[in-house]
Amino acid sequence: MAGSKGKQKTVRDMVLSLGVIMIAAAVIYVFLPHEDKEPDIKRVDYRIELLTARRAAAYPVAAPEGLPTSWKATSVRFDAAKSDAWHLGFRAPDGEYVTVEQSTQKPGAFIKDASQGAKATEVTEEISGRTWIRYTGGRYDALVLKGPDGSTTVVAGTGSFAQLKTMVGALRMA
């Protein structure tokens, strides 16, 4: 009989320990934030960088005009030392990402980087009097325009081709 009291005490201690652990887990769950909503992405003002790029670049720099305010500019940069590289990123109304990239870098390497490795297709799109080549890829799809001045413009992202075409249609090159 002496042995059974020790086993009962051990089982009781295990059940009590499990209860304490469950209470601690419940308290942690209640007090840790676990929101499922998307974070608020800050809108950037790209006007100053655009003016700088348009003064310094060896090609007409592209930026959208007349996009609805539901398109949110999220990133911008111009690097004159790196083949006049222009980048302007947007969050589309449905949360997808669309970017405008331009450069005088060799087109092959530039397109590969800007489109995240997308491959050229036989499909072209006539948008605003310019012929854009459609690229498809695993991560990004893209529309590519090779300029007569040695520049390449890539509109790429996770957005649909309809969203890419919306961006291309809004681009003004100056």
Side-chain angles (χ1 to χ4, degrees):
M1 291 255 187
S4 67
K5 274 189 168 185
K7 287 181 184 177
Q8 285 178 343
K9 191 174 184 181
T10 303
V11 171
R12 190 189 90 214
D13 289 344
M14 284 178 38
V15 169
L16 287 174
S17 295
L18 182 61
V20 169
I21 290 170
M22 295 299 285
I23 290 170
V27 168
I28 290 171
Y29 179 78
V30 167
F31 288 106
L32 283 180
H34 43 274
E35 298 175 9
D36 289 337
K37 70 177 186 175
E38 292 185 23
D40 186 31
I41 297 173
K42 182 182 168 193
R43 181 183 301 269
V44 299
D45 184 0
Y46 59 88
R47 291 177 295 184
I48 293 172
E49 287 86 349
L50 178 60
L51 289 172
T52 301
R54 285 185 169 163
R55 286 183 189 136
Y59 56 84
V61 175
E65 288 181 10
L67 274 180
T69 58
S70 56
W71 286 76
K72 187 185 283 188
T74 59
S75 58
V76 61
R77 68 182 165 275
F78 175 71
D79 190 348
K82 190 177 176 187
S83 302
D84 285 341
W86 169 247
H87 160 86
L88 185 56
F90 282 84
R91 184 171 192 254
D94 65 352
E96 296 296 335
Y97 182 69
V98 176
T99 182
V100 177
E101 306 281 346
Q102 284 184 290
S103 179
T104 56
Q105 181 182 352
K106 289 185 179 180
F110 175 67
I111 294 168
K112 183 178 180 183
D113 288 345
S115 69
Q116 303 282 315
K119 304 287 183 201
T121 67
E122 301 292 323
V123 180
T124 60
E125 302 277 348
E126 283 291 326
I127 306 167
S128 300
R130 295 184 176 104
T131 302
W132 295 75
I133 302 167
R134 187 182 275 206
Y135 279 63
T136 59
R139 182 160 184 215
Y140 282 4
D141 289 325
L143 293 169
V144 176
L145 175 68
K146 294 179 183 175
D149 52 9
S151 69
T152 305
T153 303
V154 177
V155 175
T158 59
S160 66
F161 274 110
Q163 288 172 318
L164 298 180
K165 287 170 67 173
T166 298
M167 177 61 75
V168 168
L171 290 181
R172 299 297 169 256
M173 299 189 188

